[in-house]
Amino acid sequence: MRKFLTTTAILGLTAGSAMAQSTVDQLVESYLSQGYTRVEVSEGPSQIKVEAIQGDTKIEVIYDATTGEIIRQEVESVDGDDDTSPGVEIERQVGVV
């Protein structure tokens, strides 16, 4: 897992709407290639939150949307409230003007 987190942290995440979309796509692809079967991404103006499930393990990682730096990460066991169905879900939050 350490190798994975290092890889995603150095993806060269950059600001901007078009680049942010490709950043989310890169993160999703990276998690799926690591064997995660459920990936949920929530993209806000300053952070990107990824929740991913692999077997009975759930990982949550929050990235700085501008730098790609990992702000926080947690690993825990999947519980009954988690959606474990295979797939990808992306939520993009629009900034307030």
Side-chain angles (χ1 to χ4, degrees), residues 21-73:
Q21 286 182 340
S22 87
T23 297
V24 169
D25 293 342
Q26 288 176 351
L27 286 169
V28 168
E29 184 178 323
S30 181
Y31 280 89
L32 292 174
S33 72
Q34 293 292 320
Y36 289 88
T37 55
R38 176 80 185 171
V39 179
E40 297 178 10
V41 180
S42 179
E43 178 186 11
S46 62
Q47 298 178 348
I48 300 171
K49 176 182 174 182
V50 177
E51 294 182 30
I53 294 176
Q54 181 181 48
D56 63 353
T57 302
K58 175 180 167 182
I59 185 170
E60 178 181 307
V61 183
I62 298 177
Y63 298 89
D64 180 289
T66 302
T67 66
E69 179 181 343
I70 295 173
I71 297 170
R72 188 182 87 210
Q73 64 184 20

Side-chain angles (χ1 to χ4, degrees), residues 66-83:
T66 302
T67 66
E69 179 181 343
I70 295 173
I71 297 170
R72 188 182 87 210
Q73 64 184 20
E74 297 177 10
V75 178
E76 61 189 31
S77 295
V78 172
D79 63 32
D81 294 339
D82 293 317
D83 182 356

